[in-house]
């Protein structure tokens, strides 16, 4: 089955700096890669996703890159703000099974 | 995006009692829903897959008799924690997703067993 590894587990950045979170997956058939942001005590919210037919997708300060050959994808947040502080999860599906989530990255943006 | 509603958001119960959590997909029919458990500062752990009109599929290590799942309609799945104990205290969250697309999560339920 699918195995998703996420790094780092914690990340602290100064406000205005960039943050990068990386994930690897094992199932070469996976074709959809979402990123979720979860604030304390709340549900995960989709912030960006990418399908395997593109290598990069950007939405304002957030971007995701995908390298299918190496089976890894990354989340990039530029010009970080305190409200970006949260736990971020990557995920990947495996065939018809539900999404398999990474272990999460706790991002702290220091003002 | 699609809306999934989970209820209750918080529940405190006495040890030995049972608690039912509901998960509803409000604007699409979900033949499959998923139940996760999340420990503090940890990732989402899939507990079981809820299948409409048939038995749920449980992940390894999850007790079927402890966590009863019923998916009676295309818009409602329920998770019942039976004979709850303090170690069952956790954040439980459901999702409904279409294959190959994003998961839509409920608000989550924080269960505290005292």
């Amino acid at each position: 089955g699918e195995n998703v590894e996420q790094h780092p587990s914690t990340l602290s950045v100064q406000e205005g700096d960039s943050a990068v979170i990386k994930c690897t997956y094992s199932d070469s058939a996976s074709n959809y890669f979402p990123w979720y942001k979860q604030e304390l005590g709340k549900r995960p919210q989709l912030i960006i996703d990418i399908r395997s037919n593109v290598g990069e997708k950007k939405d304002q300060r957030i971007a995701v890159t995908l390298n299918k050959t190496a089976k890894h994808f990354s989340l990039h947040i530029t010009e970080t703000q305190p409200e970006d502080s949260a736990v971020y999860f990557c995920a990947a599906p495996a065939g018809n099974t539900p999404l398999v989530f990474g272990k999460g990255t706790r991002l702290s943006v220091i003002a | 995006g699609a809306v999934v509603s989970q209820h209750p958001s918080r529940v405190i119960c006495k040890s030995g009692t049972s608690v039912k959590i509901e998960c509803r997909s409000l604007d699409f029919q979900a033949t499959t829903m998923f139940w996760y458990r999340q420990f503090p500062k940890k990732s989402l752990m899939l507990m079981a897959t809820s299948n409409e009109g048939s038995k749920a599929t449980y992940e390894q290590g999850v007790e079927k008799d402890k966590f009863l799942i019923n998916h009676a309609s295309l818009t409602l799945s329920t998770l019942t924690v039976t004979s709850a104990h303090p170690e069952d205290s956790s954040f439980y969250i459901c999702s409904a997703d279409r294959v190959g697309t994003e998961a839509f999560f409920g608000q989550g339920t924080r269960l505290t067993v005292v």
Side-chain angles (χ1 to χ4, degrees):
Chain A
E2 179 72 278
N3 182 43
V4 177
E5 299 283 341
Q6 182 173 347
H7 299 280
S9 57
T10 60
L11 179 60
S12 292
V13 298
Q14 292 289 330
E15 182 178 1
D17 288 350
S18 296
V20 180
I21 304 170
K22 298 181 180 181
C23 282
T24 61
Y25 61 98
S26 60
D27 189 343
S28 56
S30 292
N31 57 6
Y32 174 70
F33 307 93
W35 284 91
Y36 288 84
K37 175 183 180 182
Q38 187 180 27
E39 297 177 2
L40 190 63
K42 297 187 177 180
R43 76 180 96 188
Q45 299 273 16
L46 179 74
I47 55 171
I48 196 167
D49 55 14
I50 191 169
R51 295 196 177 272
S52 57
N53 56 344
V54 297
E56 183 175 2
K57 183 176 177 180
K58 192 173 181 180
D59 182 4
Q60 299 183 348
R61 297 187 297 108
I62 296 172
V64 56
T65 58
L66 170 65
N67 183 326
K68 282 219 74 178
T69 303
K71 288 191 279 189
H72 67 70
F73 56 111
S74 301
L75 176 70
H76 304 254
I77 306 174
T78 58
E79 300 172 35
T80 53
Q81 300 167 5
E83 51 265 38
D84 294 329
S85 297
V87 179
Y88 292 82
F89 294 98
C90 63
N96 290 326
T97 61
L99 293 171
V100 175
F101 289 87
K103 293 190 175 180
T105 297
R106 184 170 298 278
L107 174 64
S108 299
V109 180
I110 304 165
Chain B
V3 178
V4 174
S5 177
Q6 187 173 340
H7 178 82
S9 57
R10 291 179 179 272
V11 58
I12 300 173
C13 71
K14 290 185 178 180
S15 188
T17 62
S18 295
V19 174
K20 180 186 282 189
I21 304 169
E22 293 187 347
C23 181
R24 294 180 184 273
S25 59
L26 299 183
D27 55 359
F28 73 102
Q29 293 182 331
T31 55
T32 307
M33 292 186 179
F34 308 98
W35 288 95
Y36 297 86
R37 182 173 181 177
Q38 188 175 31
F39 292 100
K41 299 185 179 182
K42 297 293 183 182
S43 188
L44 299 157
M45 282 177 35
L46 180 65
M47 297 175 64
T49 302
S50 172
N51 304 298
E52 187 267 335
S54 64
K55 292 182 179 180
T57 305
Y58 290 82
E59 295 300 299
Q60 193 173 11
V62 178
E63 298 177 59
K64 301 178 184 181
D65 296 331
K66 177 72 164 175
F67 300 100
L68 299 178
I69 290 173
N70 184 276
H71 195 150
S73 77
L74 288 170
T75 58
L76 174 64
S77 175
T78 61
L79 168 68
T80 301
V81 183
T82 62
S83 186
H85 291 285
E87 57 265 30
D88 298 325
S89 299
S90 194
F91 188 64
Y92 294 87
I93 193 165
C94 68
S95 79
D97 47 312
R98 303 182 181 104
V99 173
T101 187
E102 69 172 293
F104 301 97
F105 289 92
Q107 299 96 316
T109 298
R110 182 157 303 283
L111 170 64
T112 303
V113 184
V114 299

